[in-house]
């Protein structure tokens, strides 16, 4: 009987030890379940927050992509405009160079013509012709003196000033008054 009682006591002790171990294991499982549930809930909330951020950024990316496409169209149009204006300017530069060369040749030709005229002006027989006119008997004494004074003036080496060629406006002697 003693042996049975010892076995019974041993069984009860083992049962209590097992109940204590089960209780602590059950406590640990409950704590782990609560901890893991809290972590899962926090992770789910973080996932939702990040998903909302991703969606917001996707919308922002779409807007910026659209703006980039608009700007690329502007850049392409500006590049085309720049090329066309560069072509126009190069054609204008060629026209200018041709016109400038033509003007330069014209000015050189005018300078040469002025030089030739200056040389010929002093070599012509105009002065001799005026002397012959002053010796004619039909010319009165007043004009003969004027010719003599004119012939005594020095030969002009330079062309006269441009202001000598400016004419006064023509005067109107009578304007028709009736309507």
């Amino acid at each position: 009987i003693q042996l049975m009682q010892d076995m019974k006591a041993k069984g009860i002790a083992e049962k209590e030890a097992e109940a204590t171990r089960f209780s602590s294991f059950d406590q640990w499982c409950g704590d782990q379940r609560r901890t893991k549930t809290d972590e899962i809930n926090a992770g789910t909330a973080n996932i939702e927050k990040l998903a909302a951020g991703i969606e917001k950024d996707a919308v922002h990316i779409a807007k910026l992509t659209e703006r980039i496409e608009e700007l690329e169209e502007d850049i392409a149009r500006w590049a085309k405009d720049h090329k066309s204006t560069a072509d126009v300017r190069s054609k204008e530069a060629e026209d200018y160079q041709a016109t400038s060369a033509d003007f330069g040749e014209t000015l050189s030709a005018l300078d040469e013509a002025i030089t030739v005229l200056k040389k010929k002006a002093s070599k012509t027989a105009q002065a001799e012709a005026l002397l012959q006119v002053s010796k004619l008997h039909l010319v009165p004494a007043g004009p003969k003196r004027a010719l003599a004074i004119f012939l005594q003036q020095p030969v002009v080496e330079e062309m006269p000033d441009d202001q000598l060629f400016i004419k006064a406006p023509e005067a109107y002697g009578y304007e028709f008054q009736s309507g």
Side-chain angles (χ1 to χ4, degrees):
I1 270 202
Q2 182 67 19
L3 192 55
M4 289 285 246
Q5 284 185 354
D6 284 341
M7 276 175 88
K8 182 180 173 188
K10 188 176 174 187
I12 292 176
E14 281 184 18
K15 181 182 170 190
E16 288 177 1
E18 181 68 24
T20 305
R21 277 195 308 253
F22 180 76
S23 173
S24 73
F25 178 73
D26 188 45
Q27 180 70 30
W28 179 82
C29 286
D31 291 344
Q32 288 297 317
R33 185 177 310 122
R34 215 176 11 261
T35 304
K36 297 302 177 189
T37 303
D38 289 345
E39 287 177 0
I40 288 172
N41 290 339
T44 303
N46 194 23
I47 287 172
E48 290 173 359
K49 179 181 172 185
L50 292 175
I54 289 171
E55 188 175 330
K56 179 183 173 185
D57 290 342
V59 169
H60 188 66
I61 286 170
K63 287 180 182 177
L64 291 178
T65 302
E66 184 179 314
R67 180 67 179 145
I68 287 171
E69 289 172 357
E70 290 174 5
L71 292 175
E72 285 175 346
E73 290 174 4
D74 288 346
I75 289 171
R77 186 176 60 251
W78 293 335
K80 184 180 175 184
D81 291 347
H82 178 71
K83 183 183 179 297
S84 64
T85 55
D87 291 342
V88 168
R89 286 184 182 172
S90 67
K91 289 177 185 175
E92 288 175 349
E94 290 173 7
D95 291 345
Y96 170 77
Q97 293 297 331
T99 304
S100 177
D102 185 40
F103 286 164
E105 291 172 4
T106 303
L107 289 174
S108 296
L110 286 174
D111 286 340
E112 290 176 20
I114 289 171
T115 305
V116 167
L117 288 175
K118 283 181 181 179
K119 288 179 183 177
K120 285 188 175 185
S122 61
K123 295 180 181 178
T124 58
Q126 292 173 356
E128 293 174 16
L130 288 176
L131 279 173
Q132 290 175 0
V133 168
S134 67
K135 292 179 183 177
L136 291 174
H137 296 293
L138 299 173
V139 178
K144 284 184 181 182
R145 278 194 307 272
L147 278 175
I149 293 171
F150 176 74
L151 290 175
Q152 291 174 357
Q153 292 179 353
V155 176
V156 177
E157 292 295 325
E158 294 183 17
M159 292 300 286
D161 190 12
D162 287 342
Q163 293 182 359
L164 294 176
F165 297 111
I166 298 174
K167 295 180 181 178
E170 189 172 315
Y172 295 110
Y174 174 77
E175 289 187 20
F176 189 66
Q177 301 280 326
S178 96

